[in-house]
Amino acid sequence: MPVEQAAVLDALKVVKDPDLHRDIVSLGFIKHLEIDGGRVAFTIELTTPACPVKDQLRDQARVAVMQLPGVSAVDVQMTARVREAVGGDSTRSTIPGVKNIIAVGAGKGGVGKTTVAVNIAIALARCGAKVGIIDADIYGPNVPIMLGMKGQLTTDGQKIVPAEKYGLQVISMAFLTADEAPIIWRGPMLHGALQQFFREVRWVDLDYLVIDLPPGTGDVVLSLSQTVPVAGAIVVTTPQQVSLADSRRAVAMYKKLNIPPLGIVENMSYYVCSNCRHEADIFGHGGGERMAAELNVPFLGRVPIYQPIREGGDAGVPLMISEPDSPAAQAFMAAAERAAAQVSIASYNRPATIPLTIVR
């Protein structure tokens, strides 16, 4: 009994994306469907290589097609094509070579925001995405320290060429100043520096550009919202009330600036004794998750206090590189996957562009 293409597609409609709540056929995920006798082969093209359920979708698709009469073998290939979540408008134009901008911020300093930004960026790159990172914490540019980078930026004659490390394209003010030179700038100078980072850098085919923002609700975030379309923001907090109060203000700020919060990461969530494995909630328990529920914002996960995170940041070898299989690194990976999922959801909820008709 010959296997029909229509029957294969109909069988695949039982497989649904858990985030988009639609089947993979109507979403257009099925590509390169080929039938050779009883052998069926096709590709599932996801919206992000950081999809946490890609193995589940592949297995469900294989089982669904194998149940068809006449099918003897099913070959499923997985790939991904990241879509833009936010388009340009009359005031903010997209950055050439960049699909999605993800801001990483915090209501206050000292919560490990840069550590989270760097490890999430590397996690996305390890999934197969093309990722860049801008160190927009102009007064305290620490991304190069955490990546173990020194030196100066170069140009190709027209634009600045970003430095590269661990699969990331990297730009930081630290590359443009002496190690201990303070940066004493007013708001307009900060805005100009950000414009240069966005418009005068040769970004190459990035799926995600991660922006490590300074803490608080100051000029840099305002300039970001006015300059480029941002897919969303990750807010980093710790569990104690002092941090949560400031994180609430940060979430409110992003919403007011029309930057959707992608979710909340609770850093330094708990400490596990390396000897007895006892867990201690040094800064309290569950504050970030409760706040996320109250604010109706996704909770991206908890990252524990783990000594190699600090050691890796100081040595320029982030945990996602030094111990990618550790529980703490897996927490960073889960946060990256959940953030990427939120970007994918936004890309499908993006309003369709209505062509402008010009009457002459």
Side-chain angles (χ1 to χ4, degrees), residues 28-345:
F29 286 3
I30 305 301
K31 309 289 184 181
H32 312 302
L33 174 57
E34 297 179 358
I35 301 173
D36 182 10
R39 302 182 64 84
V40 179
F42 55 90
T43 297
I44 300 178
E45 184 182 77
L46 301 174
T47 56
T48 174
C51 177
V53 295
K54 58 185 175 183
D55 292 340
Q56 175 185 331
L57 293 176
R58 180 196 60 211
D59 294 343
Q60 289 178 354
R62 181 180 290 116
V63 169
V65 177
M66 278 298 298
Q67 292 176 350
L68 290 174
V71 173
S72 58
V74 179
D75 179 25
V76 185
Q77 300 295 319
M78 304 298 292
T79 186
R81 181 178 64 87
V82 177
R83 295 160 46 113
E84 292 183 359
V86 185
D89 53 33
S90 59
T91 59
R92 304 173 303 170
S93 57
T94 57
I95 303 173
V98 177
K99 289 183 178 178
N100 295 294
I101 296 173
I102 297 176
V104 180
K108 67 190 301 296
V111 298
K113 168 187 55 63
T114 301
T115 297
V116 172
V118 166
N119 280 282
I120 282 181
I122 294 175
L124 291 169
R126 287 180 68 90
C127 289
K130 289 195 173 183
V131 185
I133 185 167
I134 289 180
D135 190 353
D137 192 349
I138 304 295
Y139 298 123
N142 293 321
V143 167
I145 294 175
M146 293 192 174
L147 293 175
M149 303 177 72
K150 290 186 178 180
Q152 301 295 315
L153 296 172
T154 60
T155 72
D156 61 5
Q158 293 182 321
K159 290 191 173 184
I160 300 170
V161 177
E164 294 194 23
K165 190 70 175 286
Y166 302 132
L168 305 180
Q169 298 175 37
V170 186
I171 287 291
S172 173
M173 183 58 65
F175 295 141
L176 306 175
T177 61
D179 287 345
E180 298 183 6
I183 299 174
I184 308 171
W185 286 356
R186 294 185 182 274
M189 297 180 72
L190 292 172
H191 183 78
L194 277 182
Q195 286 278 12
Q196 188 175 24
F197 286 170
F198 291 136
R199 307 296 179 194
E200 298 180 26
V201 172
R202 183 76 68 188
W203 300 110
V204 181
D205 299 328
L206 294 184
D207 296 312
Y208 307 103
L209 178 57
V210 176
I211 313 293
D212 179 35
L213 294 171
T217 56
D219 287 341
V220 171
V221 184
L222 182 59
S223 294
L224 178 69
S225 69
Q226 294 174 337
T227 303
V228 292
V230 183
I234 297 171
V235 177
V236 182
T237 188
T238 51
Q240 74 268 42
Q241 289 302 315
V242 171
S243 178
L244 293 171
D246 290 331
S247 297
R248 289 176 182 274
R249 297 186 186 98
V251 171
M253 172 195 65
Y254 289 123
K255 289 181 176 179
K256 193 166 187 177
L257 295 175
N258 294 318
I259 297 176
L262 298 176
I264 292 170
V265 173
E266 186 180 273
N267 195 29
M268 307 181 205
S269 185
Y270 56 92
Y271 171 73
V272 180
C273 177
S274 58
N275 294 320
C276 68
R277 312 309 299 173
H278 172 70
E279 292 188 9
D281 298 320
I282 297 175
F283 296 122
H285 178 76
E289 187 168 9
R290 287 193 298 272
M291 180 181 70
E294 292 169 5
L295 299 178
N296 195 27
V297 172
F299 183 65
L300 303 182
R302 299 181 178 88
V303 179
I305 298 173
Y306 184 51
Q307 186 169 332
I309 296 178
R310 191 273 304 166
E311 292 174 342
D314 289 348
V317 185
L319 191 74
M320 284 302 307
I321 298 296
S322 62
E323 296 186 19
D325 297 324
S326 65
Q330 290 304 303
F332 284 126
M333 178 62 75
E337 290 174 342
R338 290 165 185 159
Q342 292 300 313
V343 174
S344 294
I345 292 170

